[in-house]
Structures are given as structure tokens and as C-alpha cells.
Amino acid sequence: MQRAAERGPDHPMAFMMEQELFENLAESLDSAVLIHDQTIHYVNGAAARIFSVPKATLTGSRLEEYVHPEQRDALKNYLDRRAAGASERDILTIQLLDPEDQAHWVEIRPFGLAGSPGGLIGSVIRPSPMHVLEAAREAGRSLARRTLDAVGEGIITTDVDGRIDYVNTAAERIIACRRDMATGRLLNELVSLVDEADRRPLGDPVARSLEEGARIDLGRRSLLVASATGEEHSIELSASPIRSAGRDFLGSVVLLHDVAEIRGLARQMSYQASHDPLTGLANRREFERRLEDATASARSGSGGHVLCYLDLDRFKVVNDSCGHMAGDNLLRELAGLIRGQVRDSDSVARIGGDEFGMLLAGCPLEKARQIADDVCAAIRDYRFVWRDRIFTVGVSIGLVEIGHESGSTEELLGAADSACYVAKQKGRGRVHVYSARDEAVARQRGEILWLQRIQKALKEDAFELFLQPIVSMVGRVDTGPAYEVLLRMRGEDNVAVSPAEFMQAAERYHLMPNVDRWVLQTAFSAVGSGALKLPDHRSCTINLSGQTLGDPQFLDFVVDCLDRSGIAPEQICFEVRESSVTANLAMASRFIAVLHGMGCQFAVDDFGSGLGAFSSLRGLAMDYLKIDGAIIRGLADDHVNEAMVTAMISLARTMDIRVIAEHVESDTVFERVRGMGVDFAQGYAVGRPAPLSTH
């Protein structure tokens, strides 16, 4: 059952979603970078050097294998703290073992991975400067200086008054001052230490360390500004007192680590996790987060805001007549057009296929109405040209005020959507401000009508199955899907109706289990009778909704259908979304385990909406990973999408899962995914959906 038209643009991206971008930065670092949980999923070249083990060997192995046995509990506690959301200043000092079982002291420092709830951890591992310093001192002053100069960390030592008596080569570069010029001076005479966000002074960590007799760590957003040049460095800094054997203070040691690349990487990943890759606008998840903040501020009496829900008019004409490439170009251009009509303080997001949201901060309703009218006029006057064809589109906008008594985010979006529906009903290209009766009007005119049509279609067999081919990219294969089963409804004029037009009502009125039963029974019957001819050992894929996975009677229904149809379980592959599984985890896990044990296959559908799919589904029996079509469509002209696909394929390989690319709509994209190592492809470049009756 296809739900492509419902697929929104929300593809929060974390490390595994854009590995190529990550590697370009990570490989340039002197520090070892790992992405891991208990298992190592990615390492850079520096990690291979610090572990003295090839990258290919490290990837897929367990981190504890390389840790001194006596300290494995400490590693486990560190990982547990990170999984529980501990501070990113949580630093672990531990011993690693090389292949000759020689122990080396290192520090493990975490960094954030956006979009990875309860999943992967980013860690930077580097030699422990304190242990290097201690070893160097034991070896003598001359050797100590040569040793410390070879260390990539900046190291500064001071006397008991805080005056510098040594600066290594790495620290000279960071503070922009030669050691002979720095000797005898205070650190705060050579540099300013401020917060990266608000430039707030962070004080003198050396003086604090000597005064308190303890290690002082600056915040993880510390910025060092060299007084001599004004050059800025994003750093991690710690200052620790040096004591004699008799525990008297001898001075302090300052450790400096330039983390500009790591912070830049974190910012890049955070941006990708919160923005729509097609338009560059905020995605739905980020928009909902901002809407929550705005609602909270309005409830506290800090002023009101206005939420706008925008639905394009006549977009489907462009998409259907010229293809998704034209549709994507139109969406990009309209996104810029909308952004140009709002104020700098306002937020614009793509929250659905051809739906946008505007959050007008601190905006009176009349001003919001004016902005919405300006957006309508700008889009109405716009002409989209595609291959000698000219199109005009429009937009309908629903407005709702956010005030002291506003409801939840979901209620606000629902109210704005209802107002937008009324605007469409009034003739499209209109702006309508929400009133309490709008939701009833929308339901009565829209969803209730669809409810009646769905019930009638179920009763009279007015649904129809279509098939879309899925081809192997590596020639003839012994197993794998050959078709996806898609659902259509015949309208009163006998024109096929896509799921996007009736699925929302089916879900609202909890009819999806009935719809899925119809699809399953019809597909099984077609396979059993030979109406749907599958190549030897190949299968067809069938989507299951979250409501259906939560139906306790559905498993028995499937088993009964398999028995009555006489088809082999291996001929069926169920497609499930990660959100559908996690919403009904207990029943979904049993459903998958039982049917997979019987021989049915399973695929993760629409993979690419974040790391949730990996963290939630890796414990379940999955055979295929279907990369979301929005990502595949952008391969031709978007290097970020290419990096995402590369990372997904790499992830799938580590889990022994084969990869399907959907929405392959041009020969260029077809050749691109073939070259990247995708196992199967599906889309207009392979074959368009056709009625089962013509198969």
C-alpha cells in the first residue's frame, strides 16, 4: 500500500545520515573520532592509529575489547551515563590496549549527535595529556620538552603565582605567542576566554585552580581570543594544580584542545537534523519545537503570536504532468518566495509534501493577516516555467492566534489546518482566520465524506491494487522483492484516487486495519491464483499501518490468510515504518518474530527520517531497508543526499540488510544508485505503477 504522497520532508539527519560530510571533517582531525554504542560503527584514520588496528577491523567490533579488563566497568558506566543524557563535559580517562597488550592512557570526550535519541554516541579519543606530562617529567627535562612539543594538545605550565614558565609548540599556535615571549606572563594577559554564544568573560581558570586546589574545566562553548592577533579558537580548556610529593602547590598545568572542527561538525549535523533538505527551510520537527516555545511564552504572558498553515493550490498539476523534478524545483522557488514576505524574526517551515507553516512571532493578528495576504499575492503572481510550459499556482492559508489560553501544539496545528481547509472551500487563494466552527466544517465537508466513501469501497470492493516493479541492480538474484503492492480507490468518475486523498480520514476513524485486511486478502489471493505472477523465489511487498500493527487480531488473520491461500510465506515482504513499530512495540515485535520465523520478510520503509529507525529496529528481524524517496530524488543535484545514501548503505551492510532505493525517477539517478551499491531500485525510471488486472 503506497503512502508516498503522505511522506513529509522531515528528515532529521545525524551522523549515520550524512557520513561523507562527517568523514571530510573527521579525517582531518588529529584526534580519534568514534561513533558507537557498545559497538563501534565508525572510526576515522586517527582512531586506527591510536588503537594500532585497521579501520575495517575496528568497525563492527565492541569497544570494550580494546579497554584494559580492570576498567571495562568504568567504560560501561560512561556509556550508560551518555545514553541517559549526561553532560557532554563527562570525560573518561582510561587505558586502551594495543595488539601487543601494551596499555596507553587516553581521554574519551563526548560530542553531541543531533537526531540520535537513545542511540549512537560520538566520542573523541586522544592520549591523556596529564599522563604524557607525568611520563615526560620522569624522563628528564630535555626529553620532557621534546615529548611535550610532539603532543597535539596545547600544554602550558605556570609557577605558583600563575606566571607561565613553559608553553609547548601546540599551545604557541593557539595563543599566538612564542614561548620566550609568554614566559613570566599571566595567561589572561595573552588571551581572553569568553563564552562562544554571548561573549561573556569566563574568568581566569589558572587563578581559580590555584586558589581552589582543584581542576577547573571551562564550559564546552569556550572561545579563546589571542590578544596579539585577535585570532579566535573554539577550545576545551582545563587547569589543574601541580603538587609536590609533600602536596605543596608548585604551579599549574593548562591543557588546551582546539575543537573548532568538532563544533563545526556538530553545528552542521544539528542544522541538517532540523532543516528540510529540499528547500532549506525548517522541517516539521523543528517547526513544532519552535511552536512549543512560542506557545509556552504566550501562556506566560510574554506576548502573542500567530500560526499560519499554507497549502499550495494546483501543485499536483505540475507534479503529475512534469514529474517530481519539476515539483521539487517549484517547491524550492516557492520556499524562497514565502521566506521573502516575512520578517527576520519569523519562522518558515516545510511541514508536508506541498504544505508550509509560518510562525509569526509577537505579531498582532491584523499584521499577520497582511503578511498572509502578501504571501498569497506573491504566489498568485508567480509564473513557474518548465520546459516551455508555464504554470500558475496559488496558496490557501489558515491563521490561528497563539495566546494565553492556547492548547497543545497538535491542537494549534489542527486548528490552523482546519482554517486552511475553509480557505480552500471559499475558492482557494484565500486567507481565513480560525474560528471554533471551522473544525466541524472541515470534518463534515471533508473527512466524513471520505469516511463514507471508504466504507462504501470496503463494502463494494471499490478499491484496486496496482503493482510497481522493483528490479535488482546486480542482475539476476535468487531472492528479493519484485513488486510493491499499491492501493488505489476508484472515484465516481472512475479515475484512480491516490491514498493521500483518503488515508487521513481512514486513520482518523481507525479504518486502517480494515483497509489493510482488504489489501492483504486481495494480494494473497492474486499470488495464490497466479493473477500476480512472481518470479521464482521473489516476493511482493505490502505496507502495514501503525494501527494495523497494534491490532491484536491481525497476526492470526495473516496466518489464516497464508494457510487458506496456499502461498509460500517467502513470497510476502511486509513494509513497516519505524514510528509504527515503536508505537506498538510489544505487539509489533511479536508480529515480526512469528511471521519472520515462518518465512515472511520485512523491510524498514521510508528510512531516512532520523536515527530512530536504526536505534529502534536493529533488534528486530529486518531483511531490507527502503531509502526514503525524497532523499533518492535529490541525488542528481544534492551532495548531502548522496552522502546520506552512502551512509545508509554502509549501515545496512553492517547489519546484513539489503537496500532498496525508491522514487528512482530518471536514468541519471538510476545509474547513480547502481554505482553506489544499492541492491534494488523502484520508481518511474524502472516502471510506473500498473493495475494488477493488467499484470
Side-chain angles (χ1 to χ4, degrees):
M1 188 189 318
Q2 188 186 36
R3 298 183 176 87
E6 296 177 358
R7 294 169 183 148
D10 186 3
H11 301 290
M13 302 173 193
F15 163 69
M16 296 304 294
M17 298 298 97
E18 43 186 2
Q19 183 165 333
E20 184 175 306
L21 288 176
F22 186 95
E23 289 183 0
N24 288 338
L25 288 172
E27 290 298 335
S28 68
L29 300 178
D30 294 328
S31 300
V33 175
L34 277 69
I35 303 299
H36 62 97
D37 38 29
Q38 298 287 347
T39 301
I40 299 172
H41 296 285
Y42 168 82
V43 296
N44 67 347
R49 294 190 292 274
I50 202 169
F51 282 84
S52 301
V53 175
K55 288 175 65 174
T57 302
L58 282 171
T59 303
S61 62
R62 293 179 64 81
L63 183 56
E64 67 175 20
E65 297 174 18
Y66 305 97
V67 173
H68 194 287
E70 294 180 0
Q71 296 176 321
R72 288 174 182 170
D73 286 342
L75 174 66
K76 181 180 183 303
N77 292 335
Y78 166 80
L79 295 177
D80 289 344
R81 292 195 303 272
R82 292 300 304 146
S87 166
E88 292 187 8
R89 296 176 62 186
D90 186 4
I91 300 170
L92 175 66
T93 302
I94 205 167
Q95 283 181 298
L96 295 182
L97 298 177
D98 63 22
E100 283 73 42
D101 287 334
Q102 295 295 313
H104 305 275
W105 284 100
V106 299
E107 286 184 350
I108 301 180
R109 292 172 175 253
F111 66 90
L113 278 180
S116 178
L120 302 182
I121 300 167
S123 291
V124 176
I125 299 182
R126 58 180 187 264
S128 168
M130 289 298 294
H131 287 86
V132 171
L133 184 62
E134 290 173 6
R137 281 187 174 144
E138 292 176 3
R141 185 174 183 83
S142 176
L143 179 59
R145 295 202 171 211
R146 292 198 300 274
T147 302
L148 295 177
D149 279 340
V151 173
E153 310 294 324
I155 298 178
I156 298 173
T157 60
T158 77
D159 61 20
V160 72
D161 295 320
R163 298 196 173 274
I164 295 171
D165 56 27
Y166 174 74
V167 179
N168 76 342
T169 302
E172 282 183 316
R173 176 183 58 81
I174 295 173
I175 68 173
C177 183
R178 298 198 317 268
R179 68 185 66 177
D180 58 328
M181 300 294 294
T183 301
R185 303 180 68 182
L186 300 174
L187 179 63
N188 62 6
E189 294 175 356
L190 302 177
V191 301
S192 298
L193 298 168
V194 298
D195 186 275
E196 192 174 47
D198 57 14
R199 314 295 287 196
R200 172 178 52 84
L202 298 177
D204 184 348
V206 174
R208 284 183 56 198
S209 173
L210 292 171
E211 180 181 345
E212 299 175 16
R215 170 171 167 162
I216 302 299
D217 289 293
L218 295 190
R220 65 184 182 90
R221 301 190 63 85
S222 305
L223 194 69
L224 180 148
V225 183
S227 301
T229 63
E231 186 178 358
E232 298 182 350
H233 293 270
S234 296
I235 60 162
E236 290 178 348
L237 182 149
S238 66
S240 303
I242 301 173
R243 290 182 171 89
S244 67
R247 308 303 291 171
D248 295 326
F249 286 146
L250 299 177
S252 69
V253 57
V254 180
L255 305 179
L256 302 168
H257 180 55
D258 193 325
V259 293
E261 294 94 342
I262 289 293
R263 287 190 192 163
L265 173 63
R267 283 192 290 267
Q268 172 74 4
M269 293 168 67
S270 176
Y271 177 87
Q272 296 294 346
S274 60
H275 286 74
D276 170 43
L278 177 65
T279 63
L281 299 177
N283 59 26
R284 186 180 186 106
R285 180 178 296 181
E286 173 65 12
F287 188 70
E288 290 178 350
R289 185 193 66 76
R290 296 180 189 181
L291 181 56
E292 286 179 2
D293 291 345
T295 306
S297 72
R299 287 175 184 155
S300 67
S302 301
H305 318 283
V306 176
L307 168 65
C308 307
Y309 196 103
L310 293 71
D311 191 354
L312 297 180
D313 302 324
R314 299 183 296 280
F315 171 77
K316 193 171 185 294
V317 174
V318 178
N319 217 37
D320 291 349
S321 60
C322 298
H324 288 291
M325 185 177 296
D328 288 350
N329 274 276
L330 175 58
L331 289 172
R332 274 192 288 265
E333 294 183 21
L334 291 179
L337 203 62
I338 297 169
R339 194 72 190 89
Q341 302 301 316
V342 302
R343 305 164 304 170
D344 291 341
S345 59
D346 299 329
S347 297
V348 181
R350 183 180 174 215
I351 57 177
D354 60 348
E355 297 166 339
F356 296 85
M358 299 190 307
L359 180 57
L360 309 181
C363 187
L365 183 59
E366 285 307 311
K367 176 64 175 176
R369 178 70 186 249
Q370 177 189 332
I371 292 173
D373 285 336
D374 291 343
V375 171
C376 280
I379 293 179
R380 182 177 59 248
D381 296 340
Y382 174 73
R383 300 294 179 265
F384 178 66
V385 180
W386 185 260
R387 296 175 183 172
D388 300 326
R389 298 185 65 181
I390 301 176
F391 297 90
T392 59
V393 293
V395 66
S396 299
I397 305 179
L399 274 63
V400 61
E401 287 188 277
I402 304 172
H404 182 68
E405 297 182 355
S406 292
S408 65
T409 298
E410 293 77 12
E411 290 170 337
L412 284 168
L413 284 169
D417 188 14
S418 298
C420 183
Y421 180 88
V422 173
K424 279 187 177 292
Q425 293 299 312
K426 288 183 175 180
R428 300 178 184 269
R430 306 284 186 92
V431 175
H432 180 77
V433 179
Y434 172 79
S435 66
R437 64 178 180 275
D438 289 343
E439 290 187 60
V441 171
R443 285 198 298 270
Q444 290 170 1
R445 292 186 180 179
E447 292 180 356
I448 290 179
L449 176 61
W450 277 117
L451 170 63
Q452 295 168 347
R453 293 181 66 180
I454 294 167
Q455 291 173 328
K456 182 178 179 182
L458 287 168
K459 184 178 180 180
E460 300 178 1
D461 269 357
F463 286 119
E464 184 176 2
L465 295 186
F466 277 52
L467 301 177
Q468 185 169 27
I470 301 174
V471 301
S472 168
M473 306 293 279
V474 293
R476 184 177 178 83
V477 290
D478 294 332
T479 60
Y483 297 98
E484 180 176 1
V485 175
L486 312 176
L487 180 65
R488 298 290 186 269
M489 179 192 289
R490 287 290 171 185
E492 295 179 0
D493 52 3
N494 205 37
V495 174
V497 180
S498 71
E501 298 184 61
F502 63 83
M503 205 62 69
Q504 184 176 357
E507 290 180 343
R508 176 182 284 272
Y509 293 103
H510 296 279
L511 289 176
M512 286 309 305
N514 294 338
V515 173
D516 284 349
R517 279 174 165 82
W518 187 94
V519 172
L520 198 75
Q521 206 162 23
T522 307
F524 281 20
S525 176
V527 174
S529 66
L532 198 173
K533 296 182 178 64
L534 294 171
D536 290 344
H537 308 298
R538 300 288 294 277
S539 60
C540 63
T541 70
I542 301 174
N543 273 268
L544 297 179
S545 71
Q547 288 181 8
T548 300
L549 285 175
D551 183 342
Q553 283 79 45
F554 190 68
L555 175 58
D556 292 338
F557 174 80
V558 176
V559 174
D560 184 58
C561 284
L562 284 170
D563 290 341
R564 286 189 286 106
S565 65
I567 66 175
E570 292 80 6
Q571 293 178 291
I572 302 299
C573 177
F574 293 107
E575 294 187 21
V576 296
R577 292 182 177 182
E578 176 260 351
S579 57
S580 298
V581 173
T582 54
N584 310 278
L585 189 58
M587 281 187 284
S589 298
R590 179 171 178 267
F591 180 87
I592 293 169
V594 170
L595 291 177
H596 200 274
M598 293 176 63
C600 294
Q601 298 176 315
F602 284 84
V604 184
D605 192 19
D606 290 346
F607 194 86
S609 58
L611 281 178
F614 171 71
S615 60
S616 301
L617 299 181
R618 58 182 172 167
L620 301 176
M622 290 292 155
D623 304 281
Y624 304 99
L625 180 156
K626 290 193 78 171
I627 301 177
D628 186 84
I631 299 172
I632 295 297
R633 286 202 303 271
L635 278 180
D637 53 8
D638 193 327
H639 294 302
V640 173
N641 284 22
E642 186 172 342
M644 292 164 60
V645 173
T646 299
M648 292 182 207
I649 294 171
S650 175
L651 173 61
R653 296 292 178 256
T654 66
M655 301 172 67
D656 196 26
I657 293 176
R658 289 192 283 180
V659 178
I660 304 170
E662 57 184 354
H663 287 210
V664 178
E665 297 176 350
S666 68
D667 292 340
T668 301
V669 173
F670 183 89
E671 292 303 326
R672 187 73 59 85
V673 295
R674 184 210 295 273
M676 296 175 75
V678 165
D679 299 290
F680 298 91
Q682 174 185 355
Y684 286 176
V686 174
R688 291 177 177 268
L692 173 61
S693 57
T694 65
H695 177 69

